[in-house]
Amino acid sequence: MTDTTLHKSLNGVGIGRGLAVGPVVRMPDPLPEPSDAASTLAADAEKVRAAGALAAAAADIRLRGEKAGGSAKEVLDAQAIMAEDPTLKDDVNARIDTGRTAERAVFEAFAQFRDLLVSMGGYMGERATDLDDVSRRVVAHLRGVPAPGVPDPDHPFVLVARDLAPADTALLDLDKVLALITSDGGPTSHTAILAREKSIVAVVGAAGALSLEDGDTVIVDASSGIVTLDPTEAEVSAAEATLAARASAPEVAIGPGRLADGTAVPLLANLGAVDKLTEAVEKGAEGVGLFRTEFLFLDSDRAPSVEEQQAKYIALLSAFPGKKVVVRALDAGADKPLSFLNDEPEENPALGLRGLRALRAHESILRDQLTALANAEKVTEAEVWVMAPMVSTVEETRYFVSLAKELGLTTAGVMVEVPASALLADRILADADFASIGTNDLTQYTLAADRLLGSVASFQDPWHPAVLRLVGEVGRAGASLGKPVGICGEAAADPMLAVVLVGLGATSLSMSPAALGDVRAELARFTRKQAIEFAELALSANSAVEARAAVFAAATPITTPTESEKLK
Ligand code: PEP
Ligand code: MG
């Protein structure tokens, strides 16, 4: 351990309530670009180094493919073939003959081939990122440093990273990853969302995490957000005792979400994969409030066909007969790029062609998705609602709602994730059948704080009164037009904030299934009148910290409504 010996613990934002103890394995840092200084070795020696690294990278990649099996094996075998490509090798050697180091020659040869593929576009263009990955692996071999990507040691470990790409998080081997610690990323980053969904014990935004080293032992306590470094035996035993006590704590009875006065607040599930359906049903989800379809296709290099999508949607809808299932059209871009929708590099992808904007630029993909959904609805009994991500204008609302209806869907709405949509919610809801507030992006855009950046994670707080005021605008518009307003951002999974959101006019709450029990229990403690009072307290605060403190102070101790309150 380096300078962390001085600090016994790190603090971050805990995801879930889990606890884990284990050895750290660091996610390798991205490799810097190899220098273009002339080589000090003879060209033949550089060529031997290059050939050895290309062969070793190919062998590694094949081995990973063998272990992964299935479609991952096909992808990895194709990458190994790239590393063995004789034309590329000739190009590397030719560059070495001009005085380049093996590292620089590999970097340049792969980059040139990459640019060629990109200029060809289509399927070939989509292979470009694979080529980058192979190039980085070959350069890592030459430098004798670990290959980029999630490490794969042969023992369980606590993964420590700056942050993870959604594809890395989605592919984590859950038998081996005991917990996840990131230095960047706030509670609403996709790493946090996927960790919650996969029930991975995680602490995100833990400043100082990058000073941990491979082999350091840590206790990761997600419920407090504390990572204990180099724990004593007594600390490890205490952690294990806590774990056992939590496991035996009685569960809150499962039933529909309601306030103490009986006001119904349906509790729905946020899902990104069909393998979580059973858990959602078991935890009492009353339907699905957000199905993130893009997660089904993150590692796909071409747009999914109508048939492929239909099969997945049928599996989803069949788990909720007679229940509402809100499916979101592909939300590609920024931190969740889909190669078949986001084909142009952008300076500021969060402000670029993402969400509905990207779909509109590829309307046939949107049409296929809506068609697949309408077909799936016909053969199942769920009530399908469809919504568009990242809607910022009334015109976009009209475009999406009319296209969805043209293609056979009956209920079409929009996500409110951009302040403009919240401010014009009355006009947007005049055209949309419902609104669903994505508090993760709404907070990011209201506070101008990248949801993936640890250094601004403290701004990314949905308790901020500016965010709550926008939520209130949408709630008011929904109430006056008689249109439902759901919340599907991570804010709905924060039990006390969930009560405040209901006070601001939310009519349903959608969250990771893991959070349903705690939110159900918290809602049951308060009446609608109290929820409105808490909302007013939060709105009149000057900051997220003050809002939270004011509501917590007013909310304790646990109150039981009087008979007269129940009638209000
Ligand atoms: C949100 O932005 O709050 C949301 C639910 O969408 P995502 O987190 O997938 O961007
Ligand atoms: Mg969003």
Side-chain angles (χ1 to χ4, degrees), residues 532-543:
I532 293 170
E533 281 164 12
F534 296 161
E536 278 160 7
L537 279 175
L539 284 173
S540 44
N542 286 326
S543 67

Side-chain angles (χ1 to χ4, degrees), residues 328 331 336 354 415 417 441 451:
R328 171 169 79 184
D331 182 19
K336 294 175 293 184
R354 58 166 299 197
M415 288 191 74
E417 303 181 278
D441 276 314
R451 63 193 264 185

Side-chain angles (χ1 to χ4, degrees), residues 188 190 193 270 290 292 294-295 328 331 336 354 415 417 437-442 451 488-490:
T188 55
H190 282 101
I193 294 169
N270 282 359
L290 168 63
R292 291 183 163 100
E294 62 282 358
F295 284 174
R328 171 169 79 184
D331 182 19
K336 294 175 293 184
R354 58 166 299 197
M415 288 191 74
E417 303 181 278
I437 307 179
T439 48
N440 309 335
D441 276 314
L442 187 61
R451 63 193 264 185
C488 64
E490 294 305 297

Side-chain angles (χ1 to χ4, degrees), residues 79 82 110-111 113-119 122-136 301 339:
Q79 286 198 353
M82 291 175 181
F110 275 75
F113 195 39
R114 169 195 207 285
D115 292 346
L116 180 72
L117 291 187
V118 170
S119 70
Y123 179 78
M124 296 311 284
E126 286 154 13
R127 304 267 60 79
T129 42
D130 292 356
L131 208 57
D132 285 342
D133 189 44
V134 178
S135 166
R136 283 191 288 264
D301 51 18
S339 60

Side-chain angles (χ1 to χ4, degrees), residues 47 88-100 105:
K47 285 181 193 171
L88 261 169
K89 191 172 172 192
D90 288 349
D91 190 6
V92 169
N93 286 342
R95 288 169 196 275
I96 290 176
D97 283 332
T98 67
R100 303 275 192 274

